[in-house]
Amino acid sequence: GRALELLGGRIGATLARARETGDAELATCAAELERAVGRVVETTRALYAAGNIDLTLANATVYLEAFGHVVLAWIWLEQACAAHGKAGDFYDGKRQACRYFFRWELPRTQPQFALLDSLDDTTLAMRDEWF
């Protein structure tokens, strides 16, 4: 809980910085990232509340991928904030990479969080003898 809280604080600082730029695209990215962080928190709570460590860990790979994408979105937003107001190919590349990640990669986390929230046990229910 504490580590997630600390990460949330760092991300929150970036969200504020993005909004303070006055750039509509950065503000939109900030709103999307804020929603994604909320999903991380909700899903983490749901998994913890399940009270079944095997069920909680059954889809750990999906959790790590989705969580990782949220963290990468934060990093790209941080990069776009650093590039704000600066000209040149290098800065244009930072902005474009952020745009790509928020349009193509971050949205992939929504179905992943939905699957995790369902506490699906398909992978856990598989038996070796069925192979």
Side-chain angles (χ1 to χ4, degrees):
R2 180 71 177 132
L4 186 55
E5 184 180 314
L6 290 171
L7 177 63
R10 297 280 306 269
I11 293 172
T14 301
L15 298 176
R17 201 164 30 261
R19 291 178 176 126
E20 289 168 2
T21 65
D23 183 284
E25 186 172 18
L26 289 179
T28 297
C29 287
E32 291 172 15
L33 180 55
E34 187 170 44
R35 279 191 297 277
V37 169
R39 289 291 288 163
V40 168
V41 171
E42 290 170 19
T43 298
T44 302
R45 284 184 182 147
L47 292 170
Y48 183 75
N52 179 339
I53 192 68
D54 291 331
L55 183 59
T56 297
L57 294 175
N59 298 306
T61 302
V62 175
Y63 178 83
L64 291 172
E65 182 179 349
F67 195 129
H69 269 58
V70 172
V71 170
L72 286 172
W74 165 50
I75 291 169
W76 279 117
L77 182 58
E78 187 70 40
Q79 291 292 305
C81 286
H84 179 70
K86 297 178 179 163
D89 291 340
F90 177 76
Y91 299 109
D92 290 342
K94 298 279 187 199
R95 286 185 283 273
Q96 188 64 18
C98 180
R99 188 174 297 122
Y100 166 82
F101 202 86
F102 274 82
R103 290 186 182 160
W104 286 83
E105 298 295 329
L106 188 60
R108 295 175 47 208
T109 64
Q110 293 309 311
Q112 291 173 312
F113 287 127
L115 173 65
L116 292 163
D117 290 345
S118 76
L119 298 172
D120 183 83
D121 72 345
T122 301
T123 57
L124 186 61
M126 188 62 181
R127 299 292 174 252
D128 291 342
E129 58 271 13
W130 295 347
F131 284 97

